[in-house]
Amino acid sequence: MLIIKTNVMKISTKQMLAILLGISWVIFVGVCIEAGGFICNAFFTLVLNPVGARHFWQEVNLSNLYWYNHGCFFAETLLICIVAVMRAYLFYLIIKILHNKKLDMLQPFNPEVERFILNISRVSLLIGLVSWIGATYTFWLVKQGVAMPDLQHLRLAGADVWLFMGVTLFVIGQIFKRGVEIQTENDLTI
Amino acid sequence: MPIIVNLDVMMAKRKISLNDLSEKVGLTLSNLSILKTGKAKAIRFSTLDAICKVLDCQPADILEYKAEE
C-alpha cells in the first residue's frame, strides 16, 4: 500500500492580513505618487509652463485640451486629481485599519469596522461619481473636436465598477451596523 | 429603561458581598457589576435562577417595573 504524505501549507487569517497590509502599502505609495504627479503637473502647466500639458503623465498628452481652453484643462485636471486623491485616501483607510489591528476576528462586529466599511463605501461612491462626471466631460470634449487620451490613461475609467463597489459596501455596512447592535446586546446579556 | 434591578438591595439584605455572590453564582465580577448597575440589556433564566437560589429570594425581589413618566 502506498501512503502519500502531503504537507498542506495553511495560511492563517493573521498572515493573510499581513500580506494584504504589505500589498496595500505598495498600492498606497503608487497612488500617492500618481496623485502628487497629477497635482504638480496641473499646477506646473497652469501657473509656470504650458509645456507640462504635453507630458502630463506617462502616455497622457493634454496639450490639445490646454490650447483648446485653459478652463476646460483646469476642470479636466481637477476631476483627475480628485479621483487620484480619493483613491489614495481609500488605501490610507485600508492601511489604517490593518495597521491598527482593529479587525478583531473574535468580535468582528465592532463599531470601528462598521465605521471603516461605511467610510470606504462613501469614498468608493464619490470616486465613482467623480469618475463618471470626468468620463462624461471627456466624451463631451471629444465631441467638441478636442483630441483626448484614452479614459484608461486619464484614470477616469471604471466609474460603474466603483459605484457597484460603493453600493455593495454600503449594504454590507448596514448589515454590520445591525451586527454591532446584536453583538452589543449579546455582550450585555448576563 | 423601566425595568430596575434591585440586586444591591437584596445583597444588602442578605449581607453578601459582590465577590461572594460572584463566586457562588458562577458569574464574573464584571458581569455581575453590569447587572448591578443596570447596564445589562437582558438576563438569562439560568442566571436569574442561580441568583435567586443563592440569595434565597424571588425574581420579583431583584427585578422591578417602574413606568416612565
Side-chain angles (χ1 to χ4, degrees):
Chain A
M1 204 165 92
L2 183 71
I3 300 167
I4 302 167
K5 281 186 179 177
T6 54
N7 286 326
V8 181
M9 204 178 83
K10 283 183 180 171
I11 300 174
S12 67
T13 312
K14 206 176 166 185
Q15 286 168 321
M16 186 57 92
L17 290 176
I19 294 165
L20 284 176
L21 178 62
I23 295 169
S24 301
W25 262 114
V26 173
I27 299 172
F28 176 66
V29 171
V31 288
C32 276
I33 291 169
E34 200 176 73
F38 285 153
I39 294 168
C40 287
N41 267 338
F43 180 79
F44 180 78
T45 309
L46 286 166
V47 178
L48 300 171
N49 193 344
V51 81
R54 186 174 293 183
H55 310 287
F56 192 73
W57 189 257
Q58 293 175 344
E59 302 92 350
V60 181
N61 178 358
L62 292 179
S63 54
N64 286 320
L65 177 64
Y66 183 80
W67 294 118
Y68 170 71
N69 188 317
H70 292 4
C72 290
F73 177 83
F74 174 73
E76 182 78 11
T77 50
L78 183 71
L79 291 169
I80 294 170
C81 289
I82 289 171
V83 170
V85 170
M86 293 307 282
R87 269 206 313 241
Y89 180 62
L90 187 77
F91 279 96
Y92 166 74
L93 289 176
I94 294 169
I95 287 170
K96 201 173 126 190
I97 197 144
L98 289 175
H99 189 77
N100 294 343
K101 295 185 172 57
K102 290 279 165 68
L103 286 174
D104 184 6
M105 288 304 156
L106 294 173
Q107 287 193 323
F109 295 101
N110 57 62
E112 200 70 37
V113 177
E114 178 207 329
R115 213 171 305 130
F116 164 72
I117 293 175
L118 286 174
N119 272 345
I120 58 169
S121 88
R122 280 187 209 112
V123 175
S124 299
L125 283 172
L126 206 65
I127 293 172
L129 193 72
V130 179
S131 296
W132 177 75
I133 293 168
T136 312
Y137 188 59
T138 308
F139 286 133
W140 179 79
L141 286 168
V142 171
K143 271 187 187 171
Q144 302 305 307
V146 184
M148 288 294 288
D150 188 42
L151 277 182
Q152 200 76 40
H153 294 138
L154 289 172
R155 308 290 192 268
L156 291 174
D160 48 349
V161 179
W162 284 110
L163 288 170
F164 171 74
M165 185 177 144
V167 171
T168 310
L169 283 171
F170 185 76
V171 171
I172 294 171
Q174 294 303 316
I175 293 167
F176 255 77
K177 207 173 181 178
R178 184 72 189 115
V180 171
E181 281 172 18
I182 291 169
Q183 192 161 310
T184 311
E185 209 169 280
N186 188 46
D187 290 346
L188 290 174
T189 298
I190 311 297
Chain B
M1 203 152 86
I3 302 288
I4 295 161
V5 181
N6 288 323
L7 188 64
D8 45 354
V9 177
M10 276 317 291
M11 280 167 66
K13 277 183 187 170
R14 300 287 183 262
K15 289 177 183 149
I16 189 168
S17 71
L18 202 66
N19 277 321
D20 287 345
L21 187 66
S22 128
E23 237 170 67
K24 284 176 183 167
V25 171
L27 279 176
T28 60
L29 267 174
S30 60
N31 274 347
L32 214 51
S33 178
I34 288 170
L35 190 62
K36 207 180 123 189
T37 51
K39 286 178 189 163
K41 292 248 181 194
I43 183 164
R44 290 191 188 92
F45 280 146
S46 56
T47 310
L48 199 58
D49 172 53
I51 292 171
C52 288
K53 209 171 274 173
V54 171
L55 293 178
D56 188 26
C57 64
Q58 292 298 311
D61 296 329
I62 297 166
L63 302 174
E64 187 191 344
Y65 173 78
K66 254 187 195 168
E68 276 176 324
E69 286 174 12

